[in-house]
mmCIF file of all heavy atoms in Angstrom:
data_model
loop_
_atom_site.group_PDB
_atom_site.id
_atom_site.type_symbol
_atom_site.label_atom_id
_atom_site.label_comp_id
_atom_site.label_asym_id
_atom_site.label_seq_id
_atom_site.Cartn_x
_atom_site.Cartn_y
_atom_site.Cartn_z
ATOM 1 N N VAL A 1 91.423 -16.263 -18.158
ATOM 2 C CA VAL A 1 92.757 -16.607 -18.723
ATOM 3 C C VAL A 1 93.723 -15.343 -18.555
ATOM 4 O O VAL A 1 94.983 -15.524 -18.312
ATOM 5 C CB VAL A 1 92.627 -16.957 -20.192
ATOM 6 C CG1 VAL A 1 94.014 -17.101 -20.886
ATOM 7 C CG2 VAL A 1 91.854 -18.233 -20.371
ATOM 8 N N ALA A 2 93.211 -14.205 -18.651
ATOM 9 C CA ALA A 2 93.966 -12.958 -18.481
ATOM 10 C C ALA A 2 94.592 -12.863 -17.142
ATOM 11 O O ALA A 2 95.750 -12.380 -16.971
ATOM 12 C CB ALA A 2 93.209 -11.691 -18.859
ATOM 13 N N GLU A 3 93.866 -13.408 -16.118
ATOM 14 C CA GLU A 3 94.357 -13.265 -14.724
ATOM 15 C C GLU A 3 95.260 -14.411 -14.397
ATOM 16 O O GLU A 3 95.785 -14.444 -13.136
ATOM 17 C CB GLU A 3 93.168 -13.284 -13.733
ATOM 18 C CG GLU A 3 92.160 -12.013 -14.026
ATOM 19 C CD GLU A 3 90.962 -12.061 -13.107
ATOM 20 O OE1 GLU A 3 90.724 -13.163 -12.588
ATOM 21 O OE2 GLU A 3 90.193 -11.093 -13.110
ATOM 22 N N SER A 4 95.446 -15.311 -15.171
ATOM 23 C CA SER A 4 96.309 -16.449 -14.974
ATOM 24 C C SER A 4 97.773 -16.258 -15.469
ATOM 25 O O SER A 4 97.962 -15.220 -16.193
ATOM 26 C CB SER A 4 95.697 -17.674 -15.516
ATOM 27 O OG SER A 4 95.745 -17.642 -17.007
ATOM 28 N N GLU A 5 98.615 -17.223 -15.365
ATOM 29 C CA GLU A 5 100.021 -17.123 -15.878
ATOM 30 C C GLU A 5 100.272 -18.501 -16.591
ATOM 31 O O GLU A 5 99.660 -19.479 -16.367
ATOM 32 C CB GLU A 5 101.027 -16.931 -14.727
ATOM 33 C CG GLU A 5 100.916 -15.699 -13.917
ATOM 34 C CD GLU A 5 101.942 -15.491 -12.883
ATOM 35 O OE1 GLU A 5 102.761 -16.453 -12.738
ATOM 36 O OE2 GLU A 5 102.055 -14.466 -12.282
ATOM 37 N N GLY A 6 101.211 -18.299 -17.508
ATOM 38 C CA GLY A 6 101.607 -19.553 -18.324
ATOM 39 C C GLY A 6 101.088 -19.475 -19.738
ATOM 40 O O GLY A 6 100.486 -18.536 -20.196
ATOM 41 N N LYS A 7 101.526 -20.562 -20.527
ATOM 42 C CA LYS A 7 101.132 -20.685 -21.965
ATOM 43 C C LYS A 7 99.574 -20.926 -21.991
ATOM 44 O O LYS A 7 99.021 -21.499 -21.132
ATOM 45 C CB LYS A 7 101.864 -21.800 -22.529
ATOM 46 C CG LYS A 7 103.229 -21.456 -23.007
ATOM 47 C CD LYS A 7 103.172 -20.539 -24.187
ATOM 48 C CE LYS A 7 104.626 -20.289 -24.803
ATOM 49 N NZ LYS A 7 104.593 -19.340 -25.933
ATOM 50 N N VAL A 8 99.023 -20.389 -23.064
ATOM 51 C CA VAL A 8 97.578 -20.572 -23.382
ATOM 52 C C VAL A 8 97.538 -21.467 -24.607
ATOM 53 O O VAL A 8 97.803 -20.989 -25.693
ATOM 54 C CB VAL A 8 96.846 -19.213 -23.493
ATOM 55 C CG1 VAL A 8 95.364 -19.549 -23.755
ATOM 56 C CG2 VAL A 8 97.015 -18.417 -22.218
ATOM 57 N N ILE A 9 97.121 -22.693 -24.534
ATOM 58 C CA ILE A 9 96.973 -23.612 -25.639
ATOM 59 C C ILE A 9 95.563 -23.720 -26.052
ATOM 60 O O ILE A 9 94.750 -24.268 -25.161
ATOM 61 C CB ILE A 9 97.575 -24.913 -25.336
ATOM 62 C CG1 ILE A 9 99.137 -24.816 -24.854
ATOM 63 C CG2 ILE A 9 97.496 -25.864 -26.530
ATOM 64 C CD1 ILE A 9 99.689 -26.089 -24.336
ATOM 65 N N VAL A 10 95.175 -23.348 -27.180
ATOM 66 C CA VAL A 10 93.766 -23.395 -27.585
ATOM 67 C C VAL A 10 93.769 -24.533 -28.636
ATOM 68 O O VAL A 10 94.242 -24.478 -29.780
ATOM 69 C CB VAL A 10 93.338 -22.116 -28.249
ATOM 70 C CG1 VAL A 10 91.852 -22.171 -28.652
ATOM 71 C CG2 VAL A 10 93.553 -20.963 -27.310
ATOM 72 N N ALA A 11 93.028 -25.654 -28.374
ATOM 73 C CA ALA A 11 93.026 -26.821 -29.084
ATOM 74 C C ALA A 11 91.605 -27.145 -29.499
ATOM 75 O O ALA A 11 90.719 -27.310 -28.662
ATOM 76 C CB ALA A 11 93.593 -28.068 -28.229
ATOM 77 N N GLY A 12 91.395 -27.439 -30.808
ATOM 78 C CA GLY A 12 90.116 -27.896 -31.338
ATOM 79 C C GLY A 12 90.057 -29.244 -31.568
ATOM 80 O O GLY A 12 91.014 -29.942 -31.874
ATOM 81 N N HIS A 13 88.782 -29.915 -31.235
ATOM 82 C CA HIS A 13 88.608 -31.243 -31.440
ATOM 83 C C HIS A 13 87.236 -31.565 -32.137
ATOM 84 O O HIS A 13 86.274 -30.840 -31.970
ATOM 85 C CB HIS A 13 88.561 -31.978 -30.008
ATOM 86 C CG HIS A 13 89.782 -31.830 -29.276
ATOM 87 N ND1 HIS A 13 90.878 -32.742 -29.266
ATOM 88 C CD2 HIS A 13 90.203 -30.825 -28.508
ATOM 89 C CE1 HIS A 13 91.868 -32.306 -28.535
ATOM 90 N NE2 HIS A 13 91.428 -31.143 -28.027
ATOM 91 N N THR A 14 87.107 -32.594 -32.919
ATOM 92 C CA THR A 14 85.910 -32.989 -33.585
ATOM 93 C C THR A 14 85.628 -34.404 -33.225
ATOM 94 O O THR A 14 86.323 -35.168 -32.594
ATOM 95 C CB THR A 14 85.954 -32.760 -35.050
ATOM 96 O OG1 THR A 14 86.950 -33.679 -35.680
ATOM 97 C CG2 THR A 14 86.372 -31.407 -35.443
ATOM 98 N N ASP A 15 84.472 -34.930 -33.747
ATOM 99 C CA ASP A 15 84.144 -36.418 -33.753
ATOM 100 C C ASP A 15 84.786 -37.077 -34.914
ATOM 101 O O ASP A 15 85.604 -36.551 -35.732
ATOM 102 C CB ASP A 15 82.646 -36.629 -33.642
ATOM 103 C CG ASP A 15 81.878 -35.998 -34.842
ATOM 104 O OD1 ASP A 15 82.578 -35.819 -35.928
ATOM 105 O OD2 ASP A 15 80.692 -35.667 -34.723
ATOM 106 N N ASP A 16 84.470 -38.353 -35.134
ATOM 107 C CA ASP A 16 85.097 -39.139 -36.259
ATOM 108 C C ASP A 16 84.333 -39.162 -37.521
ATOM 109 O O ASP A 16 84.700 -39.881 -38.377
ATOM 110 C CB ASP A 16 85.329 -40.575 -35.713
ATOM 111 C CG ASP A 16 83.941 -41.300 -35.449
ATOM 112 O OD1 ASP A 16 82.945 -40.587 -35.215
ATOM 113 O OD2 ASP A 16 84.038 -42.568 -35.359
ATOM 114 N N ILE A 17 83.241 -38.404 -37.621
ATOM 115 C CA ILE A 17 82.427 -38.346 -38.788
ATOM 116 C C ILE A 17 83.162 -37.573 -39.831
ATOM 117 O O ILE A 17 83.419 -36.329 -39.527
ATOM 118 C CB ILE A 17 81.075 -37.872 -38.636
ATOM 119 C CG1 ILE A 17 80.306 -38.769 -37.604
ATOM 120 C CG2 ILE A 17 80.250 -37.667 -39.898
ATOM 121 C CD1 ILE A 17 78.775 -38.340 -37.330
ATOM 122 N N PRO A 18 83.615 -38.001 -41.005
ATOM 123 C CA PRO A 18 84.330 -37.173 -41.976
ATOM 124 C C PRO A 18 83.505 -35.997 -42.497
ATOM 125 O O PRO A 18 82.272 -36.137 -42.589
ATOM 126 C CB PRO A 18 84.695 -38.127 -43.110
ATOM 127 C CG PRO A 18 84.480 -39.536 -42.488
ATOM 128 C CD PRO A 18 83.432 -39.374 -41.425
ATOM 129 N N ILE A 19 84.235 -34.866 -42.734
ATOM 130 C CA ILE A 19 83.548 -33.744 -43.286
ATOM 131 C C ILE A 19 84.246 -33.259 -44.455
ATOM 132 O O ILE A 19 85.482 -33.281 -44.557
ATOM 133 C CB ILE A 19 83.469 -32.692 -42.164
ATOM 134 C CG1 ILE A 19 82.747 -31.414 -42.708
ATOM 135 C CG2 ILE A 19 84.885 -32.278 -41.735
ATOM 136 C CD1 ILE A 19 82.495 -30.324 -41.667
ATOM 137 N N LYS A 20 83.491 -32.791 -45.462
ATOM 138 C CA LYS A 20 84.064 -32.201 -46.686
ATOM 139 C C LYS A 20 83.183 -31.239 -47.327
ATOM 140 O O LYS A 20 82.210 -31.622 -47.921
ATOM 141 C CB LYS A 20 84.502 -33.296 -47.678
ATOM 142 C CG LYS A 20 85.360 -32.764 -48.867
ATOM 143 C CD LYS A 20 85.740 -33.825 -49.713
ATOM 144 C CE LYS A 20 86.706 -33.313 -50.810
ATOM 145 N NZ LYS A 20 87.248 -34.399 -51.803
ATOM 146 N N THR A 21 83.350 -29.932 -46.925
ATOM 147 C CA THR A 21 82.512 -28.841 -47.421
ATOM 148 C C THR A 21 83.297 -27.843 -48.256
ATOM 149 O O THR A 21 84.500 -28.003 -48.421
ATOM 150 C CB THR A 21 81.824 -28.169 -46.255
ATOM 151 O OG1 THR A 21 82.800 -27.543 -45.365
ATOM 152 C CG2 THR A 21 81.069 -29.146 -45.430
ATOM 153 N N ILE A 22 82.631 -26.874 -48.724
ATOM 154 C CA ILE A 22 83.290 -25.746 -49.444
ATOM 155 C C ILE A 22 84.362 -24.979 -48.512
ATOM 156 O O ILE A 22 85.393 -24.696 -48.930
ATOM 157 C CB ILE A 22 82.299 -24.814 -50.019
ATOM 158 C CG1 ILE A 22 81.408 -25.440 -51.077
ATOM 159 C CG2 ILE A 22 82.920 -23.603 -50.679
ATOM 160 C CD1 ILE A 22 80.315 -24.603 -51.577
ATOM 161 N N MET A 23 83.927 -24.886 -47.241
ATOM 162 C CA MET A 23 84.786 -24.249 -46.248
ATOM 163 C C MET A 23 85.829 -25.032 -45.703
ATOM 164 O O MET A 23 87.005 -24.630 -45.557
ATOM 165 C CB MET A 23 83.921 -23.581 -45.174
ATOM 166 C CG MET A 23 82.922 -22.486 -45.621
ATOM 167 S SD MET A 23 83.853 -21.022 -46.016
ATOM 168 C CE MET A 23 84.607 -20.546 -44.489
ATOM 169 N N TYR A 24 85.638 -26.335 -45.463
ATOM 170 C CA TYR A 24 86.462 -27.136 -44.728
ATOM 171 C C TYR A 24 86.607 -28.475 -45.477
ATOM 172 O O TYR A 24 85.654 -29.263 -45.723
ATOM 173 C CB TYR A 24 86.043 -27.417 -43.330
ATOM 174 C CG TYR A 24 85.757 -26.074 -42.527
ATOM 175 C CD1 TYR A 24 84.385 -25.757 -42.242
ATOM 176 C CD2 TYR A 24 86.704 -25.209 -42.160
ATOM 177 C CE1 TYR A 24 84.072 -24.668 -41.646
ATOM 178 C CE2 TYR A 24 86.399 -24.038 -41.533
ATOM 179 C CZ TYR A 24 85.082 -23.755 -41.256
ATOM 180 O OH TYR A 24 84.793 -22.572 -40.604
ATOM 181 N N ARG A 25 87.828 -28.820 -45.750
ATOM 182 C CA ARG A 25 88.121 -30.057 -46.496
ATOM 183 C C ARG A 25 88.150 -31.256 -45.582
ATOM 184 O O ARG A 25 87.924 -32.460 -46.097
ATOM 185 C CB ARG A 25 89.492 -29.946 -47.236
ATOM 186 C CG ARG A 25 89.437 -28.995 -48.381
ATOM 187 C CD ARG A 25 90.880 -28.747 -48.958
ATOM 188 N NE ARG A 25 91.783 -28.127 -47.941
ATOM 189 C CZ ARG A 25 93.107 -27.929 -48.041
ATOM 190 N NH1 ARG A 25 93.590 -28.227 -49.291
ATOM 191 N NH2 ARG A 25 93.777 -27.277 -47.157
ATOM 192 N N SER A 26 88.429 -31.107 -44.341
ATOM 193 C CA SER A 26 88.385 -32.216 -43.392
ATOM 194 C C SER A 26 88.215 -31.661 -41.954
ATOM 195 O O SER A 26 88.111 -30.502 -41.684
ATOM 196 C CB SER A 26 89.792 -32.905 -43.553
ATOM 197 O OG SER A 26 90.786 -32.023 -43.043
ATOM 198 N N ASN A 27 88.099 -32.691 -41.050
ATOM 199 C CA ASN A 27 87.945 -32.278 -39.671
ATOM 200 C C ASN A 27 89.207 -31.539 -39.107
ATOM 201 O O ASN A 27 89.205 -30.795 -38.132
ATOM 202 C CB ASN A 27 87.769 -33.571 -38.802
ATOM 203 C CG ASN A 27 86.259 -34.043 -38.898
ATOM 204 O OD1 ASN A 27 85.390 -33.229 -39.105
ATOM 205 N ND2 ASN A 27 86.062 -35.347 -38.827
ATOM 206 N N TRP A 28 90.375 -31.738 -39.762
ATOM 207 C CA TRP A 28 91.542 -31.030 -39.402
ATOM 208 C C TRP A 28 91.353 -29.540 -39.538
ATOM 209 O O TRP A 28 91.731 -28.707 -38.620
ATOM 210 C CB TRP A 28 92.752 -31.591 -40.184
ATOM 211 C CG TRP A 28 93.195 -32.969 -39.915
ATOM 212 C CD1 TRP A 28 92.918 -34.055 -40.670
ATOM 213 C CD2 TRP A 28 93.904 -33.330 -38.753
ATOM 214 N NE1 TRP A 28 93.463 -35.122 -40.021
ATOM 215 C CE2 TRP A 28 94.073 -34.765 -38.835
ATOM 216 C CE3 TRP A 28 94.434 -32.752 -37.664
ATOM 217 C CZ2 TRP A 28 94.801 -35.533 -37.961
ATOM 218 C CZ3 TRP A 28 95.125 -33.564 -36.713
ATOM 219 C CH2 TRP A 28 95.257 -34.949 -36.908
ATOM 220 N N GLU A 29 90.890 -29.236 -40.640
ATOM 221 C CA GLU A 29 90.600 -27.685 -40.888
ATOM 222 C C GLU A 29 89.530 -27.284 -40.036
ATOM 223 O O GLU A 29 89.654 -26.058 -39.415
ATOM 224 C CB GLU A 29 90.257 -27.479 -42.379
ATOM 225 C CG GLU A 29 91.436 -27.599 -43.297
ATOM 226 C CD GLU A 29 91.076 -27.079 -44.689
ATOM 227 O OE1 GLU A 29 89.908 -26.642 -44.905
ATOM 228 O OE2 GLU A 29 91.952 -27.084 -45.598
ATOM 229 N N LEU A 30 88.438 -28.032 -39.777
ATOM 230 C CA LEU A 30 87.378 -27.576 -38.869
ATOM 231 C C LEU A 30 87.851 -27.320 -37.459
ATOM 232 O O LEU A 30 87.688 -26.245 -36.836
ATOM 233 C CB LEU A 30 86.264 -28.509 -38.927
ATOM 234 C CG LEU A 30 85.035 -28.186 -37.993
ATOM 235 C CD1 LEU A 30 84.451 -26.842 -38.388
ATOM 236 C CD2 LEU A 30 83.979 -29.234 -38.075
ATOM 237 N N SER A 31 88.637 -28.263 -36.894
ATOM 238 C CA SER A 31 89.045 -28.205 -35.566
ATOM 239 C C SER A 31 90.047 -26.990 -35.421
ATOM 240 O O SER A 31 90.062 -26.268 -34.438
ATOM 241 C CB SER A 31 89.720 -29.460 -35.098
ATOM 242 O OG SER A 31 90.816 -29.818 -35.946
ATOM 243 N N SER A 32 90.904 -26.842 -36.389
ATOM 244 C CA SER A 32 91.933 -25.703 -36.382
ATOM 245 C C SER A 32 91.195 -24.438 -36.441
ATOM 246 O O SER A 32 91.533 -23.419 -35.719
ATOM 247 C CB SER A 32 92.907 -25.843 -37.407
ATOM 248 O OG SER A 32 93.612 -27.121 -37.340
ATOM 249 N N SER A 33 90.165 -24.316 -37.278
ATOM 250 C CA SER A 33 89.461 -23.026 -37.457
ATOM 251 C C SER A 33 88.715 -22.609 -36.226
ATOM 252 O O SER A 33 88.645 -21.518 -35.760
ATOM 253 C CB SER A 33 88.462 -23.175 -38.615
ATOM 254 O OG SER A 33 89.183 -23.391 -39.900
ATOM 255 N N ARG A 34 88.174 -23.645 -35.472
ATOM 256 C CA ARG A 34 87.422 -23.328 -34.255
ATOM 257 C C ARG A 34 88.443 -22.855 -33.186
ATOM 258 O O ARG A 34 88.069 -21.874 -32.434
ATOM 259 C CB ARG A 34 86.629 -24.572 -33.779
ATOM 260 C CG ARG A 34 85.409 -24.842 -34.593
ATOM 261 C CD ARG A 34 84.743 -26.083 -34.085
ATOM 262 N NE ARG A 34 83.334 -26.241 -34.724
ATOM 263 C CZ ARG A 34 82.547 -27.246 -34.456
ATOM 264 N NH1 ARG A 34 82.751 -28.121 -33.604
ATOM 265 N NH2 ARG A 34 81.397 -27.362 -35.175
ATOM 266 N N ALA A 35 89.580 -23.482 -33.131
ATOM 267 C CA ALA A 35 90.541 -23.017 -32.216
ATOM 268 C C ALA A 35 91.016 -21.609 -32.495
ATOM 269 O O ALA A 35 91.226 -20.795 -31.563
ATOM 270 C CB ALA A 35 91.817 -23.984 -32.206
ATOM 271 N N VAL A 36 91.226 -21.284 -33.727
ATOM 272 C CA VAL A 36 91.606 -19.937 -34.144
ATOM 273 C C VAL A 36 90.494 -18.951 -33.779
ATOM 274 O O VAL A 36 90.792 -17.837 -33.329
ATOM 275 C CB VAL A 36 91.952 -19.846 -35.689
ATOM 276 C CG1 VAL A 36 92.125 -18.404 -36.058
ATOM 277 C CG2 VAL A 36 93.129 -20.664 -36.021
ATOM 278 N N THR A 37 89.260 -19.351 -33.955
ATOM 279 C CA THR A 37 88.164 -18.360 -33.624
ATOM 280 C C THR A 37 88.117 -18.053 -32.142
ATOM 281 O O THR A 37 88.031 -16.812 -31.839
ATOM 282 C CB THR A 37 86.773 -19.116 -33.994
ATOM 283 O OG1 THR A 37 86.748 -19.339 -35.408
ATOM 284 C CG2 THR A 37 85.548 -18.152 -33.667
ATOM 285 N N VAL A 38 88.304 -19.062 -31.253
ATOM 286 C CA VAL A 38 88.382 -18.821 -29.852
ATOM 287 C C VAL A 38 89.524 -17.917 -29.486
ATOM 288 O O VAL A 38 89.477 -16.959 -28.724
ATOM 289 C CB VAL A 38 88.338 -20.099 -29.044
ATOM 290 C CG1 VAL A 38 88.666 -19.909 -27.568
ATOM 291 C CG2 VAL A 38 87.044 -20.900 -29.304
ATOM 292 N N ALA A 39 90.739 -18.262 -30.051
ATOM 293 C CA ALA A 39 91.879 -17.493 -29.702
ATOM 294 C C ALA A 39 91.770 -16.095 -30.243
ATOM 295 O O ALA A 39 92.190 -15.009 -29.455
ATOM 296 C CB ALA A 39 93.137 -18.169 -30.364
ATOM 297 N N GLN A 40 91.218 -15.833 -31.417
ATOM 298 C CA GLN A 40 91.111 -14.572 -31.944
ATOM 299 C C GLN A 40 90.080 -13.671 -31.070
ATOM 300 O O GLN A 40 90.432 -12.456 -30.928
ATOM 301 C CB GLN A 40 90.546 -14.614 -33.454
ATOM 302 C CG GLN A 40 90.560 -13.246 -34.124
ATOM 303 C CD GLN A 40 91.892 -12.656 -34.334
ATOM 304 O OE1 GLN A 40 92.885 -13.474 -34.537
ATOM 305 N NE2 GLN A 40 92.008 -11.370 -34.273
ATOM 306 N N PHE A 41 89.083 -14.260 -30.554
ATOM 307 C CA PHE A 41 88.111 -13.557 -29.752
ATOM 308 C C PHE A 41 88.859 -13.023 -28.476
ATOM 309 O O PHE A 41 88.710 -11.900 -28.026
ATOM 310 C CB PHE A 41 86.978 -14.543 -29.315
ATOM 311 C CG PHE A 41 85.940 -13.814 -28.456
ATOM 312 C CD1 PHE A 41 84.832 -13.261 -29.009
ATOM 313 C CD2 PHE A 41 86.106 -13.692 -27.095
ATOM 314 C CE1 PHE A 41 83.860 -12.553 -28.278
ATOM 315 C CE2 PHE A 41 85.162 -13.053 -26.327
ATOM 316 C CZ PHE A 41 84.066 -12.437 -26.875
ATOM 317 N N MET A 42 89.718 -13.944 -27.856
ATOM 318 C CA MET A 42 90.387 -13.572 -26.678
ATOM 319 C C MET A 42 91.514 -12.393 -27.009
ATOM 320 O O MET A 42 91.658 -11.516 -26.146
ATOM 321 C CB MET A 42 91.064 -14.757 -26.015
ATOM 322 C CG MET A 42 90.013 -15.646 -25.383
ATOM 323 S SD MET A 42 90.777 -16.914 -24.352
ATOM 324 C CE MET A 42 91.518 -18.077 -25.612
ATOM 325 N N LEU A 43 92.044 -12.558 -28.145
ATOM 326 C CA LEU A 43 93.151 -11.566 -28.483
ATOM 327 C C LEU A 43 92.541 -10.203 -28.817
ATOM 328 O O LEU A 43 93.174 -9.152 -28.544
ATOM 329 C CB LEU A 43 93.880 -12.084 -29.612
ATOM 330 C CG LEU A 43 94.912 -13.289 -29.353
ATOM 331 C CD1 LEU A 43 95.511 -13.777 -30.693
ATOM 332 C CD2 LEU A 43 95.923 -12.793 -28.432
ATOM 333 N N GLU A 44 91.281 -10.154 -29.376
ATOM 334 C CA GLU A 44 90.693 -8.917 -29.596
ATOM 335 C C GLU A 44 90.389 -8.071 -28.419
ATOM 336 O O GLU A 44 90.212 -6.831 -28.470
ATOM 337 C CB GLU A 44 89.380 -9.131 -30.449
ATOM 338 C CG GLU A 44 89.737 -9.538 -31.864
ATOM 339 C CD GLU A 44 88.474 -9.931 -32.667
ATOM 340 O OE1 GLU A 44 87.413 -9.897 -32.024
ATOM 341 O OE2 GLU A 44 88.591 -10.176 -33.880
ATOM 342 N N LYS A 45 90.350 -8.787 -27.231
ATOM 343 C CA LYS A 45 90.010 -7.977 -26.015
ATOM 344 C C LYS A 45 91.255 -7.288 -25.456
ATOM 345 O O LYS A 45 91.237 -6.497 -24.629
ATOM 346 C CB LYS A 45 89.542 -9.028 -24.890
ATOM 347 C CG LYS A 45 88.319 -9.682 -25.268
ATOM 348 C CD LYS A 45 87.168 -8.760 -25.538
ATOM 349 C CE LYS A 45 85.861 -9.422 -25.903
ATOM 350 N NZ LYS A 45 84.703 -8.490 -26.104
#
């Protein structure tokens, strides 16, 4: 990604099984958190 040009869109996706835990209230939070984790890893470099 660093050697490329253009926007970098990091998008998280889940399946259709609902989730509700202490950390994540829904698949929306889980997919967004996974995308943030990947983006944060690349930004730390």
Side-chain angles (χ1 to χ4, degrees):
V1 174
E3 294 174 353
S4 66
E5 296 180 355
K7 278 286 184 182
V8 181
I9 304 172
V10 185
H13 301 266
T14 65
D15 57 25
D16 63 341
I17 298 178
I19 181 175
K20 188 173 183 180
T21 64
I22 299 176
M23 292 291 296
Y24 308 108
R25 293 172 293 180
S26 65
N27 282 328
W28 292 102
E29 287 192 357
L30 177 60
S31 61
S32 300
S33 297
R34 286 182 173 180
V36 170
T37 298
V38 172
Q40 188 63 34
F41 182 94
M42 292 191 287
L43 288 172
E44 289 176 352
K45 299 300 180 179

